[in-house]
Amino acid sequence: CNTALNRLPSSELSASVKDIRMGEAYFLRALYLWHIVETWGGVYLTTEECTEPSGYVYRSSEEDFYTQIIADLKEALAKLPVSTSDYGRATKGAALAYIARTKLYAASKLNNPSMDRKKWEDARDALSAVMGLNIYDLYYDTQNPELSYAHYFCERKTKENIYTYLLAANAT
């Protein structure tokens, strides 16, 4: 993602395509950083393109990771479309949802031992932003309401899906 973000501005793509791809690269970098911090905590954090090995690197704090994730998602938010017909492509809703998730984890007792109320309020506001788009809703089967939950898994696209990607049937 760092390579893409470094090289896309000088690419020959049209401005609109370039903008969306930059948004997707910011989104994916934030997603990858999320998985890194979730798995290993704060490790070395860089937003530069890695061209050659460097010397000793220092461990970054989890707070640094959360800050970078939110910054990347805000950059993505400015460039992504509200919706897309392609599975696996990031949207404004997906970026807002990941901002909310990151702020929620940052506010949790594990990462916020003093239980700073401001962090919880930021998480609440971020969740409200997702709901404020008014494009997501719980799936409801009007023909068989009692089977709504079961039928949700049979539908390919619903208003409940914020970020969806498909796996091959034989994927392990």
Side-chain angles (χ1 to χ4, degrees), residues 63-138:
E63 187 67 32
D64 291 342
F65 268 81
Y66 292 135
T67 301
Q68 184 61 50
I69 290 167
I70 291 169
D72 282 351
L73 289 169
K74 285 182 178 178
E75 285 288 334
L77 191 58
K79 298 175 183 310
L80 293 172
V82 173
S83 64
T84 179
S85 59
D86 295 335
Y87 284 107
R89 295 280 184 195
T91 61
K92 287 187 185 299
L96 284 171
Y98 273 102
I99 288 171
R101 180 181 181 184
T102 304
K103 288 185 175 190
L104 188 63
Y105 273 65
S108 71
K109 189 162 181 87
L110 178 65
N111 298 303
N112 180 20
S114 66
M115 295 303 285
D116 179 4
R117 185 176 177 85
K118 175 78 172 104
K119 289 186 177 188
W120 286 103
E121 290 169 352
D122 287 347
R124 178 201 60 209
D125 294 344
L127 289 164
S128 294
V130 178
M131 294 185 300
L133 289 175
N134 292 321
I135 56 176
Y136 303 110
D137 202 358
L138 293 177

Side-chain angles (χ1 to χ4, degrees), residues 28-49:
L28 289 173
R29 182 168 71 182
L31 199 62
Y32 299 143
L33 290 175
W34 168 261
H35 289 298
I36 289 169
V37 75
E38 182 183 35
T39 305
W40 294 292
V43 294
Y44 176 63
L45 173 65
T46 184
T47 57
E48 301 298 319
E49 182 177 357

